[in-house]
Amino acid sequence: MSKRGGRLVVVSAPSGAGKTTLVRGLIARDERFVFSVSYTTRPQRPNERDGIDYHFVSQDEFMRLRDSGAFLEYVDVFDIFYATGREAVATELRRGRHVIVEIDWQGAQQVRRQMPMCRSIFIVPPSIAALRERLTRRQTDSEQIIERRLKDSLSDLSHWTEFDYIVVNDQLTKALDELAGIASGVMRRNRVGTDRVDRIMQSILSSR
């Protein structure tokens, strides 16, 4: 990423933290930002568009692309693969666009190794109680699945120190303002390692 090029922004979050809503809000607000469309081997759903929601590929094609070095990162989630395309990201950065890569903490680790100048942001809920309430509000999962998602989210939260910035999604408008400020390079107060962020995360994790 040159001084005249765009910025790569990695956004991660535990399930239920509202990451997708915030990322969509940022892209709708600021035309400088563009979303990185992931590759996946999972079946395409009726309401999804190839090349818009995901690049849908077979597992054989995914492995061919992986082995050719076409991905910045990839992950296997219960035998379904997801990845970020290297060339598409590089092209947008050369055009001066800021590229948003929405991935989990494992993918974020891979991207940071390959592009250490990226800016990584972790979206977190205001409390564990709020996270549970959001997962329950969906009304699409059984109590057993909700408990599993909550356990997975707590595991994800343990990786918060690996990121550059923290955004607490308590009030949507405020969280979106903070995400936009950090992603564009204007705001720095939510940086990991500061007393303020440490207090916020200690409060969240102590409520387990």
Side-chain angles (χ1 to χ4, degrees):
M1 289 179 286
S2 70
K3 292 182 179 179
R4 301 184 63 182
R7 175 181 296 113
L8 179 61
V9 182
V10 175
V11 180
S12 301
S15 178
K19 170 177 87 268
T20 299
T21 299
L22 287 171
V23 167
R24 288 176 178 172
L26 173 59
I27 291 173
R29 171 191 286 196
D30 192 333
E31 64 181 9
R32 294 175 301 170
F33 289 91
V34 62
F35 181 71
S36 173
V37 179
S38 298
Y39 287 79
T40 185
T41 60
R42 76 160 172 76
Q44 183 176 352
R45 295 167 184 164
N47 63 328
E48 292 177 326
R49 296 163 294 174
D50 186 36
I52 303 297
D53 297 291
Y54 286 96
H55 297 293
F56 294 96
V57 296
S58 67
Q59 186 161 321
D60 286 345
E61 176 65 4
F62 188 98
M63 296 307 174
R64 185 191 69 78
L65 290 168
R66 183 200 65 180
D67 294 344
S68 70
F71 298 144
L72 268 178
E73 60 82 30
Y74 73 94
V75 64
D76 177 0
V77 183
F78 302 114
D79 296 325
I80 295 176
F81 293 85
Y82 297 87
T84 299
R86 183 188 304 276
E87 184 53 37
V89 168
T91 297
E92 294 295 346
L93 292 175
R94 287 193 296 267
R95 290 173 177 168
R97 306 289 295 277
H98 300 324
V99 182
I100 303 291
V101 178
E102 184 183 335
I103 50 180
D104 66 11
W105 64 267
Q106 293 168 301
Q109 286 182 338
Q110 296 177 54
V111 172
R112 285 196 303 271
R113 282 196 294 268
Q114 298 197 54
M115 300 187 72
M117 294 303 291
C118 72
R119 180 161 297 177
S120 60
I121 305 170
F122 199 44
I123 310 294
V124 302
S127 67
I128 300 302
L131 181 61
R132 179 188 291 275
E133 193 275 332
R134 290 174 185 177
L135 292 172
T136 303
R137 193 193 308 159
R138 294 176 177 179
Q139 297 184 337
T140 57
D141 298 323
S142 66
E143 184 62 29
Q144 183 179 7
I145 292 177
I146 289 172
E147 288 301 319
R148 189 186 72 188
R149 289 187 184 279
L150 187 62
K151 182 179 179 180
D152 290 344
S153 293
L154 288 170
S155 177
D156 292 346
L157 283 166
S158 70
H159 293 272
W160 69 275
T161 57
E162 300 174 14
F163 291 80
D164 298 322
Y165 294 88
I166 298 292
V167 171
V168 181
N169 188 10
D170 189 358
Q171 299 176 346
L172 181 60
T173 301
K174 179 175 178 289
L176 181 54
D177 287 343
E178 292 185 351
L179 177 62
I182 294 167
S184 62
V186 175
M187 182 183 293
R188 291 186 175 275
R189 71 178 187 134
N190 287 11
R191 196 167 184 87
V192 168
T194 62
D195 290 342
R196 177 178 180 273
V197 170
D198 289 351
R199 286 195 301 271
I200 288 171
M201 292 308 301
Q202 287 170 9
S203 175
I204 291 171
L205 294 174
S206 67
S207 63
R208 287 182 289 181

